Amino acid sequence: MNTLNAVTTAESPSVRQMQGFIREKLAVDVKLLTGDTIQGAIFWQDQDCISVKTAGADMLVWKHAIAFIQPRS
Amino acid sequence: MNTLNAVTTAESPSVRQMQGFIREKLAVDVKLLTGDTIQGAIFWQDQDCISVKTAGADMLVWKHAIAFIQPRS
Amino acid sequence: MNTLNAVTTAESPSVRQMQGFIREKLAVDVKLLTGDTIQGAIFWQDQDCISVKTAGADMLVWKHAIAFIQPRS
Amino acid sequence: MNTLNAVTTAESPSVRQMQGFIREKLAVDVKLLTGDTIQGAIFWQDQDCISVKTAGADMLVWKHAIAFIQPRS
Amino acid sequence: MNTLNAVTTAESPSVRQMQGFIREKLAVDVKLLTGDTIQGAIFWQDQDCISVKTAGADMLVWKHAIAFIQPRS
Amino acid sequence: MNTLNAVTTAESPSVRQMQGFIREKLAVDVKLLTGDTIQGAIFWQDQDCISVKTAGADMLVWKHAIAFIQPRS
């Protein structure tokens, strides 16, 4: 499988996985480079940010600050 | 919803959300990669920076240093 | 050997090595810039992310957060 | 106000604000991603760096390492 | 000497120095942004990564995570 | 003074200042994002790296890891 293109497109596996998280309103942990873990559901994404619905106010999270996203077990 | 384009434009959801924060002079927490949290209202944004009105002098904050922005509850 | 091109392509050694990890379902340690080490097998990669199958739920890991990947000894 | 363009130009608000700091030789705090705060006046800027006049020798500071700049109160 | 071009090429001094490390199988310390120091010999490089032969398994190290490389004294 | 162009060129002030450091073999402190400070003289620079002559072996330092450079007082 060769899924590596020079430019990220709407068809990239990571974009599709994020779209799945959004569609299913999945409860996820978003681990940041600051060490913080945000718990919530991803509401939308664009090139630079994701919006995370948390117990408090929605958070606008910069993708450059994300280490990983993992569905909550 | 497919909101991921190769280039960030003025129509990107994250740009529009920031424009909403600016228009409404919303009190926000800006969490930085340094671990600092800045409390204030966003005054303007451009490609590289945001300007945050705080209790002290206005701060010119580099977007590359932002982890997330959250309206204050 | 001159393997340095201006643009990463599917033929780059690092991409091929990652494809080998994926094909062989190799147990690896993924060390992140947060200091976390993820243990698992890489499931797929694209330009921005890798998917890591762990003992818990699969993790979507951003490449910009990876320090190194090492097969588990 | 739509100040977000795909490319930073000499007319960007952040560039103009930096030019103001330079012109007025304003005393500023430059907070870095290392956690260090540099106190001084900005002497010039270009695409990659700013030059900061401090009590000691001038410092060549990389923009990628800046979290924020704030006029000293 | 003016060695600064807009794009890194196979003729850049840093690329040539890395190629020398590889050719001579030089024992080096690779200091990472995580604070870790990897001891080994560089096996190959491409645009994104270097491969480091260590006492354990080979490590695939992302260049964006490297602070410096120094031959071991 | 408008020294901000979209692309760094050999004529940028920061490049010229670095060239001055190199030409004068100036003793400098190079502060890294890891918190380390390297003491030495800059030997050459290219787009990605600088070479620093230290008391030990020469160090190949990635520019993305530099916070600031300051002549030693």
Side-chain angles (χ1 to χ4, degrees), chain E residues 7-25:
Chain E
V7 173
T8 302
T9 66
E11 291 73 35
S12 298
S14 61
V15 172
R16 285 204 313 264
Q17 174 138 9
M18 291 289 284
Q19 288 171 335
F21 292 162
I22 293 168
R23 202 168 41 235
E24 299 164 30
K25 298 179 172 56

Side-chain angles (χ1 to χ4, degrees), chain C residues 5-33:
Chain C
N5 299 303
V7 173
T8 301
T9 66
E11 291 73 34
S12 299
S14 62
V15 172
R16 284 204 313 265
Q17 174 138 9
M18 291 290 284
Q19 289 171 336
F21 291 163
I22 293 168
R23 203 169 41 235
E24 300 164 30
K25 298 179 173 56
L26 212 60
V28 295
D29 285 334
V30 180
K31 175 80 180 238
L32 301 182
L33 292 179

Side-chain angles (χ1 to χ4, degrees), chain D:
Chain D
M1 180 173 61
N2 183 342
T3 56
L4 200 100
N5 298 303
V7 172
T8 302
T9 66
E11 289 75 34
S12 298
S14 61
V15 172
R16 286 204 312 265
Q17 175 139 8
M18 291 289 284
Q19 289 171 335
F21 291 163
I22 293 168
R23 202 169 41 235
E24 298 165 30
K25 298 178 174 57
L26 211 61
V28 294
D29 285 333
V30 180
K31 174 78 180 239
L32 301 183
L33 292 179
T34 54
D36 295 303
T37 300
I38 301 170
Q39 301 187 340
I42 303 169
F43 199 51
W44 53 256
Q45 66 171 327
D46 66 13
Q47 182 69 11
D48 296 325
C49 295
I50 65 173
S51 177
V52 183
K53 219 174 232 330
T54 68
D58 290 358
M59 299 174 69
L60 184 63
V61 180
W62 263 260
K63 282 183 173 174
H64 63 227
I66 301 176
F68 62 79
I69 296 181
Q70 184 175 38
R72 301 199 64 192
S73 47

Side-chain angles (χ1 to χ4, degrees), chain C residues 57-70:
Chain C
D58 291 357
M59 299 174 69
L60 185 63
V61 180
W62 263 260
K63 282 184 173 174
H64 62 227
I66 301 176
F68 61 80
I69 296 181
Q70 184 175 37

Side-chain angles (χ1 to χ4, degrees), chain B residues 8 10 15 19 32 34 36 44-49 54 57-65, chain D residues 1-6 8 12-14 17-18 31-33 63-64 66-71:
Chain B
T8 302
V15 172
Q19 289 171 335
L32 301 182
T34 54
D36 295 304
W44 52 256
Q45 65 171 327
D46 65 14
Q47 183 68 12
D48 296 325
C49 295
T54 68
D58 290 359
M59 299 174 69
L60 185 62
V61 180
W62 263 260
K63 282 183 173 174
H64 63 227
Chain D
M1 180 173 61
N2 183 342
T3 56
L4 200 100
N5 298 303
T8 302
S12 298
S14 61
Q17 175 139 8
M18 291 289 284
K31 174 78 180 239
L32 301 183
L33 292 179
K63 282 183 173 174
H64 63 227
I66 301 176
F68 62 79
I69 296 181
Q70 184 175 38

